[in-house]
Amino acid sequence: DTDFRFRRENSAKEPHVTWTGQGETGNFGISSLLTATTLFPDKIPFSLTLGTAQDSRNLLRRSPTSEEIAAGPHLEVGPFKLSLGRPAPIVVNAWASRSEYWLSIQGDASIQRLLQLARSVGLPAAQPNADGIAKIDLQTVGSWSAFSPAITLGQAQLRSVRAEVRGLNEPLEIASANVALMPDEVQVKDVTASLAGSAWRGWLALPRQCSLPAQCLVRFNLHADTISTDGWNDLLTAHPRKGPWY
């Protein structure tokens, strides 16, 4: 269902063509061969409009108003709802111009489904063997020029996360944590987690971009009431794989 308008303006230099309008689409799925998943969004409203506003890089600092979202002609999409494994769906807003794009998602999501969504739409995302619940408020801005990598900033509240960590013989369980995606690092605060029979609390910070592993320095301040040496020995010691019984 669409309603578009076309206007042609003749000037002394050259004709100028303007498109404006709006529409809505729904009852379709978005499939990804990369993640082997299909997403079924709610009805998606969209509009093609003329806009005059600030540089979109400023949009990463706060939630913009509808008048601030793009400079020049652009396509606005949303808001629309998308279920990501939780009772209440997330809310998605987006726009795209000839030079760049912006995406905002807010709400509760399964961590595994959220990472699948990011990879399905071409955003860089980790592939951990982990799942849990995240309450998110994230914004992504990218440029079409040379397909430069997009940047995602925002907040996420983690709950009931269970993650397999390479080199450890048991999963890391995070009861709760607050994550802040900053331009240069990821800050994880108010951590309450359990590992190797101990309860851990504190914070850590990880760099987002580093060319060499030796340059990826992690800062942390974690403490536990008790630490079991036997528990850490079992956690870190490689155990031989069990062979077939026959």
Side-chain angles (χ1 to χ4, degrees), residues 152-168:
T152 299
L153 303 181
Q155 311 287 330
Q157 298 176 5
L158 307 183
R159 305 191 309 275
S160 304
V161 176
R162 182 181 175 91
E164 301 286 343
V165 181
R166 181 179 299 178
L168 302 183

Side-chain angles (χ1 to χ4, degrees), residues 29-40 82 84 103 112-127:
I30 304 174
S31 298
S32 169
L33 296 177
L34 178 64
T35 61
T37 57
T38 301
L39 303 173
F40 296 96
L82 180 63
L84 291 182
L103 173 71
Q112 197 64 246
R113 295 288 301 277
L114 179 64
L115 295 176
Q116 289 175 349
L117 171 63
R119 294 194 296 272
S120 296
V121 298
L123 297 178
Q127 302 184 46

Side-chain angles (χ1 to χ4, degrees), residues 12-81:
K13 296 182 179 180
E14 60 182 13
H16 178 69
V17 176
T18 300
W19 286 90
T20 60
Q22 59 187 5
E24 182 180 86
T25 184
N27 298 322
F28 71 96
I30 304 174
S31 298
S32 169
L33 296 177
L34 178 64
T35 61
T37 57
T38 301
L39 303 173
F40 296 96
D42 196 4
K43 292 182 179 180
I44 302 178
F46 58 89
S47 61
L48 183 62
T49 183
L50 300 175
T52 55
Q54 59 188 17
D55 191 324
S56 65
R57 288 171 293 184
N58 296 328
L59 302 178
L60 289 171
R61 302 193 184 105
R62 58 185 173 81
S63 298
T65 64
S66 59
E67 291 80 11
E68 296 175 324
I69 57 177
H74 60 275
L75 175 68
E76 297 180 26
V77 181
F80 66 90
K81 297 178 180 179

Side-chain angles (χ1 to χ4, degrees), residues 114-157:
L114 179 64
L115 295 176
Q116 289 175 349
L117 171 63
R119 294 194 296 272
S120 296
V121 298
L123 297 178
Q127 302 184 46
N129 185 7
D131 205 357
I133 303 169
K135 183 179 180 63
I136 55 175
D137 183 1
L138 303 175
Q139 298 84 42
T140 297
V141 163
S143 172
W144 302 119
S145 176
F147 294 99
S148 56
I151 182 171
T152 299
L153 303 181
Q155 311 287 330
Q157 298 176 5

